[in-house]
Amino acid sequence: WGKCFRPERFDKKPLNENDGLEQVPDISNNRDAYDIIGWDLQPGDAVAFHFKTLHGAPANHSKSEQRHAFSLRLIGDDVRFARREGIQTSPPFPDVKLQHGAIMDAPEFPLLLS
């Protein structure tokens, strides 16, 4: 789409109110207007996508089945830490001591070796 949407919490409240990003469209009530893809996942399956992919899942209302998720963000060695005044990140990383522009060299950002 070439757009950047405002991240939302699971309760649909924005992560940051005044971040200059576009509000996520009401896809749930206009499903026919969008090219929605999905997968019937089984235990052990995984889905990988670019972090800017607009994604979500309906609430799990089951009283007996839990949904488990694991989020992994992979970055290149050219990525630098960015502090943005008044912007909360997800996850928030409250204990990161890196300065703005620093190499991502901290315990919160482990090096993945192949």
Side-chain angles (χ1 to χ4, degrees):
W1 285 347
K3 299 178 180 183
C4 290
F5 294 104
R6 179 174 298 117
E8 294 180 343
R9 295 180 172 91
F10 290 107
D11 63 4
K12 299 294 185 189
K13 293 180 182 169
L15 185 61
N16 296 291
E17 285 286 343
N18 300 309
D19 55 12
L21 300 175
E22 239 182 275
Q23 182 176 347
V24 174
D26 185 1
I27 294 172
S28 295
N29 290 317
N30 298 291
R31 294 180 66 85
D32 292 340
Y34 300 95
D35 182 19
I36 299 172
I37 57 176
W39 300 268
D40 184 19
L41 300 178
Q42 301 300 315
D45 289 349
V47 177
F49 50 85
H50 189 278
F51 82 102
K52 285 189 173 181
T53 299
L54 188 57
H55 62 282
N60 179 7
H61 297 291
S62 173
K63 295 190 186 310
S64 61
E65 300 289 327
Q66 291 184 345
R67 177 173 43 213
H68 299 279
F70 171 75
S71 177
L72 177 68
R73 293 164 173 91
L74 302 175
I75 57 175
D77 59 5
D78 60 339
V79 172
R80 300 294 182 256
F81 188 73
R83 288 206 185 275
R84 295 186 176 90
E85 192 65 35
I87 298 295
Q88 181 181 354
T89 61
S90 175
F93 298 116
D95 299 325
V96 172
K97 305 294 186 235
L98 295 174
Q99 297 298 312
H100 181 79
I103 295 171
M104 305 288 277
D105 184 14
E108 295 85 359
F109 308 108
L111 180 61
L112 180 64
L113 301 174
S114 60

